[in-house]
Every structure is written in structure tokens, then in C-alpha cells.
């Protein structure tokens, strides 16, 4: 409703982006990683890495907060990509 979309997935469709790019850019601005801080869970995952217990950090999030928490980028597998890799 906030973005006045015909369907929820429209904001990520190229055809809709060509029609109304402002909706995607507004969402991206709101999701920008600098707007958020790593959570206690991100810091816990970093602690696992520090203790040598983390094999890999798989994430579906695109916010790059794992890296912001200090987890080395080579340990992070971002299933959907992320802001710092685009």
C-alpha cells in the first residue's frame, strides 16, 4: 500500500521499475544499511568466528549487517546478494 504497487513483487520487477523507478528507490533508501546497526545475533555470529567455531555465515538478508558486525566478507554467503556487493 505504501508504494502503491499492483502486486508486492512488482517493486522488484524490471518492467515495473521502468514505469515507476521511484518506488524501488524509496524502498532501497529505507533499507540502506547505514540506517541500522548489527543486532545481538550479528555480534553472536561474530563471536563464533572469533572463537574459530564459524565455518560460514549464510544469509538471505541484503543489509550487509554481518560485515558491519565484523564478520569477514569471505565468510559470508549472501544468497540474494547484498548492498555492499552491488
Amino acid at each position: 500500500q505504501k508504494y502503491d504497487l499492483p502486486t508486492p513483487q512488482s517493486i522488484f520487477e524490471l518492467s515495473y521499475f521502468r514505469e515507476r523507478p521511484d518506488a524501488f528507490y524509496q524502498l532501497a533508501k529505507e533499507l540502506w544499511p547505514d540506517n541500522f546497526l548489527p543486532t545481538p545475533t550479528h555480534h553472536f555470529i561474530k563471536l563464533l568466528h572469533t572463537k574459530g567455531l564459524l565455518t560460514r555465515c549464510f544469509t538471505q538478508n541484503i543489509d550487509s549487517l554481518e560485515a558491519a558486525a565484523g564478520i569477514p566478507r569471505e565468510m559470508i554467503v549472501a544468497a540474494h546478494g547484498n548492498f555492499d556487493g552491488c
Side-chain angles (χ1 to χ4, degrees):
Q1 291 177 338
K2 179 178 182 176
Y3 303 104
D4 190 31
L5 303 172
T7 66
Q9 64 272 17
S10 295
I11 203 161
F12 298 111
E13 293 174 354
L14 185 56
S15 59
Y16 189 77
F17 177 80
R18 288 180 174 145
E19 258 180 59
R20 276 202 53 220
D22 55 310
F24 175 80
Y25 287 130
Q26 182 181 352
L27 175 65
K29 183 178 177 182
E30 292 170 12
L31 295 176
W32 195 254
D34 289 345
N35 295 337
F36 304 95
L37 296 172
T39 66
T41 301
H42 293 108
H43 292 292
F44 175 71
I45 296 168
K46 166 64 164 95
L47 178 64
L48 292 175
H49 170 70
T50 301
K51 292 184 174 281
L53 300 171
L54 185 68
T55 310
R56 186 83 57 215
C57 175
F58 293 90
T59 181
Q60 295 186 63
N61 298 332
I62 62 169
D63 55 24
S64 306
L65 291 177
E66 298 83 10
I71 300 166
R73 296 185 194 286
E74 63 271 9
M75 296 294 290
I76 301 169
V77 176
H80 302 294
N82 53 30
F83 274 96
D84 60 357
C86 63

